[in-house]
Amino acid sequence: MKVKVISRSTDEFTRERSQDLQRVFRNFDPSLRTQEKAVEYVRALNAAKLDKIFARPFIGAMDGHRDSIKCMAKNPNYLKAIFSGSDDGDIRLWDLASRRTVCRFPGQQGAVQGLTVSTDGSVLVSCGSDCTVRLWNVPDANLADLDSLSDNSAKPLAVYVWKNAFRAVDHQWDGELFATAGAQVDIWNHNRSQPVNTFDWGTDTTISVRFNPGEPNVLATSANDRSITLYDLRMSSPARKVIMRTKTNSIAWNPMEPMNFTAANEDCNCYSYDARKLDEAKCVHKDHVSAVMDIDFSPTGREFVTGSYDRTVRIFQYIGGHSQEVYHTKRMQRVFCVKYSCDGSYVISGSDDTNLRLWKAKASEQLGVVLPREKKKQEYLEAVKNRYKHLPEVKRIVRHRHLPKPIYKAANLRRTMIEAERRKEQRRKAHSAPGSIVTESIRKRRIIKEVE
Amino acid sequence: MTMGATQENGDDEMDQKVKKYLRGEAANLEGLKDKKLKGQLAVREELYGKSAKAAAKIEKWLLPSEGGYLEAEGIEKTWRIKQESIAREVDILSSRSQYDIVLPELGPYTLDFTSNGRYMAAAGRKGHLAIVDMKTLNLIKEIQVRETVRDVVYLHNELFFAAAQKKYPYIYNRDGTELHCLKEHGAVLRLQFLKNHFLLASINKFGQLHYQDVTMGEMVGNFRTGLGCTDVMQVNPFNGVVALGHSSGTVTMWKPTSAAPLVKMLCHPGPLSSLAFHPNGHLMATSGKEKKIKIWDLRKFEVIQTLPGNAKTLNFSQKGLLAAGTGSFIQILADFSGSQNYSRYMTHSMAKGYQVGKVLFRPYEDVLGIGHSMGWSSILIPGSGEPNFDSWVANPFETSKQRREKEVHSLLDKLPPETIMLDPTKVGTVRAARKKEKPTKEEREAEMEAAVEAAKDTDFKKKTKGRNKPSKRAKKRKEIIDRAKRPLLEQRIEEQEMSRKKRKTNAETEMPKSLQRFVRQKAT
């Protein structure tokens, strides 16, 4: 007869010396684990609760400006720095780690309307309502660390004066050109004191401009006539235009999918478009209760942050119809500009109350060095929470966010109004000949027309 | 072409393994119209497929140990092979697992193993409690409680065990210190511990079932079974339901959140003598006093197989072998083809005076522990234990630090008693919508009219001899119509009362705090 019995020698299954790690053996057979789904559910519930316990997104406020902050720029080469410009012409370079001003750039008379940094991080361009464009030398990062206590001032590289006040500026990616928005869209070169090219379509002022990260010659602008226009620098005339029902305050291109951009609109929504097909929005992001002032994408291309006139900052998923996170503070007033940090972990908001605020992008994230075991555990908890987040108990905890009372009430009011409108539309449809009333999806409804 | 054939077989094997790890069928994405959702689900399904393939590969190549087996050669039959001949063929370490401990004065012994198979608690009827470390065959502690002990069970690890003594069950420490006396349970006949829920279930002399949470000490449920005194109780490890076998031949299955049993099935024409569950949760073996062992499929509640045999005690091993013990004879049944057709695999006869009380397979080892009237024994059954353990589920080589960590983790993952249900995979799924709807007002009136019309249509018997007066006829007609209307009216009144009660309870919960003490408490 042939016989074999399980026999385990202790040496194989225990460690040799006390310096060694304990041995771990795995068997993934599902029959060894009973009631897996219930255990996962309990873990998801605990993970949701722990998430809420550790959700402390606010890191600090940067004080210094004396008037409301209208624009910010991030240096693509240096993570720790951010530039901000305010309504009294004060431009500052901040160090995010110590939350202090490193350098000031005095000289702009009147409000600073736009700030941008060239792709190599050496030149800062600012434009304002005093009809000037100023170019500054960005101080070297290492030197800046040493002198972070004293307020350094820098002298401008160049000052170009032009015909009318400017509303926004953006720099080309990997190029030498930058574009300003004002009465028309001007394309400038660093070395020329006059714009190299001018685009004009329509009679209204252009209020924001953004270059495409993937295609350096394409830019998107938004104007006061409620339109979004796409220009190509290689052609002498503008490419495409879409007119919406309300004005777009700001545009941001998705860095991972450069054919898509998201527009922050005055009617409290953000609309994501595919630049090749502008007749329908790809996604509508709703949740703000007042005009959305600024928008910026995360470098992963999966999230974007918006700042709105209703004193909140919201973080959305790039395909999500509703916001994932909402940040607010009693002291933060109207938010005019937001930026996502270049490593995707922080969000900076500049608001009416002269402060820049630094927030965590993921509210319950552990900052600092995370051990690999901790990281794995956190990823697991995140995954198990996402698997069960539609079940009522877990959903209630995951969705819960405290909102200030005015915003809560405004949101309820908006909801009632939209519901009422929808009900009336349904009744109109029910009482008329079938097919005579056609409901348009919201992705199309807000667009009036597309123009070539 | 043999290479092709073997490759095909290998592929089939891998497919089987992959199926095991997939945990069900993939979702059908054809009917979805939402493209975003369809895309997300397709990505998910692909990931599940990949992880199932990886797990199947790990099972094929990376597991450290192989299972035991016993194969007979020639005309030899496996059930004639004796334990002595097995002991000669295996290594010394395994042959040490074969022994008999003779303790004749202290009564029939019952056993329990911890979930990693390392420690054993033995209890003699006359009050002898002993804890033994099975790796080193070291007696850790033995105490004499000087009372009848009917059952012993380990709690979540080797530090705590519960003994069902004469009047109440007690919980003891590893050092033999008495920690708790559970007075509410009464004179308990059998104890069972539900691992994932930390619930101690007991059945007492009056047929009352108690569930107690051993972490908080809270009594989660106590029910009167109403079916008399019984000492046949087993917990189904797959879904956590407790099954009781009664003297009427019925098996009832219970969960802690309901006073009525989940399932009541008639298994045997006479009283049940024992019950056992297969670790996969789909098979149940029952034996009755009429000397038959039946194997049931719990998904359809049907008998798969009936075997002749008297079995005072039954137990399934991790690999699906069934041990049945009666008198001084033990037989092991196995299904070789995987088609749930059990046949004789091994047998073992003990010395004449030994009456088998309990058979229990040791987890993760090819060993069967037998508690009998003269002590306890252990024999080798090749192929009964799971060869590869998972350190994070049950680790036979656990250090004290690992044990402490595991305790904390299992407490964090403690399941609430509501998760006990017949089909544990239902957690997180969508509940089917209620099909029956309440009839609307018009429907109800229409129903009543129809009933009245039907009543009016009846013909009356023509009475003679002065009994056929018109007034009496009219009265009779009215009576019939009222009788037709009555059940519908009663239904309506019932519904109104229910809605009034609901409104009342809602109103009661809104009372201010100072008046809460006057709110009528609902009897639980």
Side-chain angles (χ1 to χ4, degrees):
Chain A
M1 75 178 154
K2 287 197 286 188
V3 64
K4 179 180 176 291
V5 180
I6 296 173
S7 69
R8 296 192 188 97
S9 74
T10 323
D11 309 329
E12 275 177 32
F13 290 89
T14 50
R15 62 180 179 183
E16 282 178 19
R17 300 166 291 178
S18 57
Q19 327 163 312
D20 291 340
L21 294 173
Q22 291 284 0
R23 290 188 200 217
V24 169
F25 298 91
R26 300 303 311 273
N27 184 351
F28 297 101
D29 196 348
S31 59
L32 285 184
R33 300 160 171 76
T34 52
Q35 294 189 293
E36 294 174 303
K37 291 189 88 175
V39 171
E40 274 190 347
Y41 174 75
V42 167
R43 284 182 185 164
L45 198 56
N46 289 339
K49 291 180 188 170
L50 279 177
D51 225 14
K52 285 283 170 260
I53 292 173
F54 290 121
R56 285 172 201 285
F58 183 57
I59 299 176
M62 291 172 264
D63 201 8
H65 278 290
R66 289 214 212 94
D67 208 338
S68 76
I69 297 167
K70 272 287 155 51
C71 50
M72 292 198 293
K74 37 182 190 185
N75 186 340
N77 277 30
Y78 188 55
L79 268 185
K80 279 209 297 181
I82 192 130
F83 297 90
S84 63
S86 70
D87 265 351
D88 61 354
D90 189 11
I91 306 175
R92 286 172 190 244
L93 167 62
W94 300 87
D95 175 48
L96 289 176
S98 54
R99 297 200 289 278
R100 272 200 270 218
T101 310
V102 168
C103 184
R104 298 177 71 166
F105 302 90
Q108 195 93 25
Q109 324 281 1
V112 180
Q113 297 279 12
L115 276 180
T116 183
V117 184
S118 68
T119 321
D120 56 3
S122 55
V123 175
L124 167 71
V125 182
S126 71
C127 70
S129 41
D130 58 351
C131 313
T132 56
V133 173
R134 282 162 211 260
L135 278 78
W136 313 79
N137 245 333
V138 174
D140 194 11
N142 302 328
L143 289 175
D145 278 333
L146 292 170
D147 292 9
S148 60
L149 291 172
S150 63
D151 262 336
N152 277 336
S153 314
K155 283 221 149 65
L157 253 185
V159 180
Y160 303 141
V161 185
W162 196 234
K163 298 178 209 162
N164 38 38
F166 296 109
R167 291 294 295 272
V169 67
D170 194 41
H171 201 286
Q172 192 185 36
W173 289 66
D174 284 336
E176 272 256 312
L177 304 171
F178 62 88
T180 57
Q184 65 281 330
V185 179
D186 298 313
I187 314 291
W188 303 70
N189 193 313
H190 282 198
N191 309 318
R192 302 282 183 82
S193 63
Q194 284 188 343
V196 173
N197 207 345
T198 308
F199 290 113
D200 199 354
W201 189 356
T203 49
D204 258 319
T205 43
T206 330
I207 48 177
S208 81
V209 63
R210 208 56 88 172
F211 269 96
N212 187 325
E215 194 66 45
N217 288 314
V218 173
L219 61 127
T221 62
S222 74
N224 255 344
D225 63 351
R226 300 169 277 118
S227 66
I228 301 173
T229 320
L230 294 175
Y231 293 95
D232 192 329
L233 293 181
R234 297 164 289 197
M235 309 191 323
S236 55
S237 60
R240 264 217 194 109
K241 185 180 198 177
V242 62
I243 302 181
M244 298 186 63
R245 283 188 197 273
T246 42
K247 174 175 79 153
T248 302
N249 285 322
S250 177
I251 303 178
W253 292 91
N254 187 334
M256 281 295 150
E257 297 171 359
M259 62 281 196
N260 298 334
F261 65 88
T262 309
N265 211 318
E266 192 72 22
D267 67 349
C268 325
N269 296 340
C270 299
Y271 298 89
S272 288
Y273 287 95
D274 185 340
R276 306 165 292 190
K277 191 168 176 289
L278 284 176
D279 62 344
E280 184 183 359
K282 274 191 75 175
C283 191
V284 180
H285 312 276
K286 310 177 191 175
D287 249 349
H288 277 295
V289 296
S290 195
V292 188
M293 303 308 290
D294 198 14
I295 180 170
D296 193 30
F297 260 92
S298 151
T300 61
R302 288 283 176 267
E303 283 120 11
F304 60 86
V305 61
T306 58
S308 133
Y309 196 70
D310 68 355
R311 307 193 191 101
T312 56
V313 169
R314 281 187 193 257
I315 298 181
F316 291 81
Q317 279 250 294
Y318 78 119
I319 42 169
H322 288 276
S323 62
Q324 276 189 322
E325 283 283 6
V326 53
Y327 296 156
H328 56 87
T329 319
K330 267 203 189 131
R331 294 194 179 182
M332 182 163 76
Q333 303 303 315
R334 319 282 179 188
V335 181
F336 282 115
C337 45
V338 284
K339 282 278 180 240
Y340 225 116
S341 80
C342 287
D343 59 350
S345 327
Y346 302 98
V347 158
I348 305 117
S349 69
S351 55
D352 213 359
D353 58 302
T354 77
N355 282 350
L356 266 116
R357 281 187 178 79
L358 183 63
W359 309 81
K360 284 195 237 176
K362 291 194 183 22
S364 49
E365 190 186 14
Q366 187 179 350
L367 296 177
V369 179
V370 181
L371 298 171
R373 243 199 224 176
E374 275 185 311
K375 188 149 177 267
K376 251 193 157 175
K377 178 75 179 196
Q378 283 168 7
E379 281 172 9
Y380 171 74
L381 289 180
E382 185 70 32
V384 81
K385 189 178 67 149
N386 284 336
R387 188 182 266 204
Y388 289 92
K389 69 175 175 211
H390 57 283
L391 290 178
E393 276 186 357
V394 183
K395 184 165 143 190
R396 187 173 151 261
I397 297 173
V398 165
R399 258 172 33 127
H400 171 76
R401 299 265 177 323
H402 175 253
L403 283 176
K405 212 179 221 146
I407 296 177
Y408 180 70
K409 293 210 164 147
N412 283 348
L413 188 61
R414 250 178 92 77
R415 203 178 308 134
T416 332
M417 285 163 61
I418 293 174
E419 264 301 305
E421 192 53 52
R422 199 176 65 87
R423 242 178 294 138
K424 285 184 188 162
E425 187 66 33
Q426 268 183 351
R427 284 180 192 146
R428 244 175 254 139
K429 229 181 158 179
H431 291 276
S432 38
S436 60
I437 298 190
V438 178
T439 40
E440 253 188 326
S441 71
I442 188 160
R443 294 176 186 176
K444 289 199 167 183
R445 215 184 301 155
R446 304 300 299 178
I447 300 173
I448 295 184
K449 67 172 173 182
E450 191 190 343
V451 183
E452 277 296 315
Chain B
M1 283 297 113
T2 46
M3 268 293 275
T6 47
Q7 214 175 35
E8 256 185 49
N9 282 342
D11 276 345
D12 276 339
E13 212 187 288
M14 278 303 274
D15 273 342
Q16 280 274 12
K17 287 203 206 306
V18 169
K19 214 168 153 195
K20 178 169 69 161
Y21 288 104
L22 265 183
R23 292 165 168 87
E25 294 293 320
N28 187 3
L29 302 175
E30 301 299 313
L32 274 183
K33 289 202 187 135
D34 185 350
K35 288 193 188 150
K36 212 165 43 166
L37 185 62
K38 203 171 178 180
Q40 286 173 350
L41 286 180
V43 167
R44 279 276 178 86
E45 291 292 345
E46 201 190 310
L47 280 178
Y48 292 159
K50 274 194 199 158
S51 62
K53 281 206 186 102
K57 278 201 194 143
I58 288 175
E59 188 188 327
K60 192 167 175 199
W61 299 111
L62 287 182
L63 291 179
S65 319
E66 280 184 0
Y69 54 82
L70 176 65
E71 281 165 23
E73 284 164 339
I75 54 163
E76 218 179 15
K77 300 282 184 200
T78 54
W79 63 82
R80 291 203 195 284
I81 297 175
K82 291 198 188 292
Q83 287 290 311
E84 292 87 20
S85 34
I86 295 181
R88 279 194 293 256
E89 306 278 330
V90 296
D91 54 310
I92 297 180
L93 192 62
S94 308
S95 61
R96 279 186 68 203
S97 307
Q98 251 183 17
Y99 55 81
D100 279 305
I101 309 260
V102 180
L103 297 159
E105 308 97 29
L106 292 168
Y109 275 79
T110 162
L111 316 166
D112 191 38
F113 290 106
T114 49
S115 63
N116 57 8
R118 174 121 187 213
Y119 297 89
M120 179 181 83
R125 183 66 64 89
K126 303 259 187 325
H128 180 207
L129 291 170
I131 312 172
V132 184
D133 178 353
M134 299 302 277
K135 274 262 163 325
T136 54
L137 285 174
N138 208 0
L139 177 68
I140 293 181
K141 189 76 191 179
E142 65 179 331
I143 54 177
Q144 172 62 257
V145 297
R146 297 191 292 175
E147 260 191 344
T148 319
V149 172
R150 298 192 196 96
D151 196 14
V152 72
V153 76
Y154 263 115
L155 299 188
H156 55 282
N157 58 18
E158 71 269 18
L159 296 178
F160 306 99
F161 65 93
Q165 293 182 210
K166 175 173 161 196
K167 272 199 192 161
Y168 325 107
Y170 290 79
I171 296 184
Y172 292 91
N173 201 356
R174 180 177 49 177
D175 305 323
T177 323
E178 176 192 316
L179 296 176
H180 301 283
C181 165
L182 308 173
K183 287 222 165 93
E184 287 177 28
H185 291 243
V188 164
L189 297 176
R190 286 291 293 244
L191 287 168
Q192 286 283 303
F193 188 67
L194 280 74
K195 266 213 165 333
N196 297 332
H197 312 266
F198 281 77
L199 288 176
L200 184 64
S202 73
I203 181 95
N204 69 10
K205 255 201 219 164
F206 304 111
Q208 289 169 339
L209 182 62
H210 290 259
Y211 285 93
Q212 187 157 26
D213 185 338
V214 298
T215 55
M216 302 296 279
E218 188 192 332
M219 186 63 82
V220 172
N222 61 5
F223 314 113
R224 293 183 1 229
T225 56
L227 292 163
C229 169
T230 168
D231 76 337
V232 176
M233 174 162 103
Q234 274 295 326
V235 69
N236 184 347
F238 180 66
N239 52 17
V241 312
V242 162
L244 297 171
H246 301 276
S247 50
S248 54
T250 48
V251 166
T252 49
M253 299 201 191
W254 300 81
K255 66 177 184 180
T257 46
S258 74
L262 281 169
V263 175
K264 221 168 164 179
M265 49 197 275
L266 181 64
C267 290
H268 286 272
L272 279 238
S273 48
S274 80
L275 190 68
F277 283 103
H278 192 286
N280 70 7
H282 300 307
L283 285 182
M284 177 174 78
T286 62
S287 73
K289 294 243 159 60
E290 86 279 9
K291 302 198 185 157
K292 286 251 185 304
I293 301 174
K294 289 192 185 174
I295 313 249
W296 298 81
D297 181 341
L298 287 178
R299 287 172 290 200
K300 294 185 271 185
F301 296 105
E302 274 176 5
V303 186
I304 298 181
Q305 205 181 357
T306 313
L307 299 154
N310 200 354
K312 183 160 182 293
T313 166
L314 288 170
N315 191 243
F316 271 102
S317 85
Q318 277 176 324
K319 283 286 188 189
L321 300 185
L322 177 62
T326 168
S328 59
F329 177 69
I330 294 167
Q331 62 171 336
I332 318 288
L333 306 159
D335 68 330
F336 294 106
S337 50
S339 63
Q340 284 152 13
N341 199 349
Y342 277 80
S343 59
R344 260 186 309 176
Y345 175 54
M346 284 174 73
T347 60
H348 177 69
S349 300
M350 296 194 289
K352 203 67 191 311
Y354 289 26
Q355 299 287 324
V356 165
K358 181 164 182 180
V359 282
L360 194 59
F361 278 100
R362 192 170 146 204
Y364 302 106
E365 293 283 342
D366 279 340
V367 165
L368 177 70
I370 309 163
H372 48 77
S373 58
M374 300 291 235
W376 71 82
S377 315
S378 158
I379 57 174
L380 289 173
I381 311 285
S384 61
E386 169 66 54
N388 298 298
F389 60 86
D390 188 324
S391 306
W392 293 345
V393 171
N395 187 354
F397 298 93
E398 215 168 36
T399 62
S400 65
K401 212 170 170 187
Q402 286 175 333
R403 186 196 62 224
R404 289 199 298 259
E405 283 274 331
K406 185 161 184 291
E407 191 176 11
V408 171
H409 280 299
S410 52
L411 279 172
L412 284 173
D413 290 339
K414 180 180 88 158
L415 299 177
E418 296 86 44
T419 50
I420 297 178
M421 50 186 85
L422 278 177
D423 183 11
T425 55
K426 270 219 203 122
V427 175
T429 53
V430 178
R431 197 162 55 167
R434 242 181 48 163
K435 287 193 195 136
K436 202 175 71 158
E437 283 173 12
K438 282 205 205 127
T440 58
K441 203 168 175 189
E442 292 94 358
E443 283 176 333
R444 254 183 262 209
E445 283 182 22
E447 222 182 286
M448 200 172 292
E449 269 187 36
V452 167
E453 290 296 311
K456 279 191 194 165
D457 275 338
T458 51
D459 286 323
F460 298 109
K461 190 178 178 187
K462 286 232 171 69
K463 292 204 178 172
T464 54
K465 294 198 180 172
R467 291 192 190 96
N468 197 4
K469 282 201 226 158
S471 60
K472 281 223 174 114
R473 254 189 290 145
K475 217 196 264 178
K476 185 122 196 213
R477 205 185 202 159
K478 205 157 164 259
E479 201 182 302
I480 288 182
I481 292 176
D482 278 339
R483 214 184 293 153
K485 271 199 198 167
R486 192 188 299 162
L488 302 168
L489 284 174
E490 276 182 350
Q491 216 179 32
R492 208 193 279 180
I493 290 174
E494 225 180 78
E495 280 176 353
Q496 274 178 2
E497 268 215 30
M498 287 264 294
S499 62
R500 197 163 15 103
K501 264 197 195 156
K502 270 194 199 156
R503 251 181 282 135
K504 214 175 170 192
T505 50
N506 279 343
E508 275 170 354
T509 52
E510 286 163 7
M511 273 218 216
K513 225 177 175 176
S514 50
L515 293 177
Q516 284 287 351
R517 67 180 77 191
F518 299 112
V519 168
R520 197 181 317 161
Q521 298 285 348
K522 232 184 178 175
T524 43

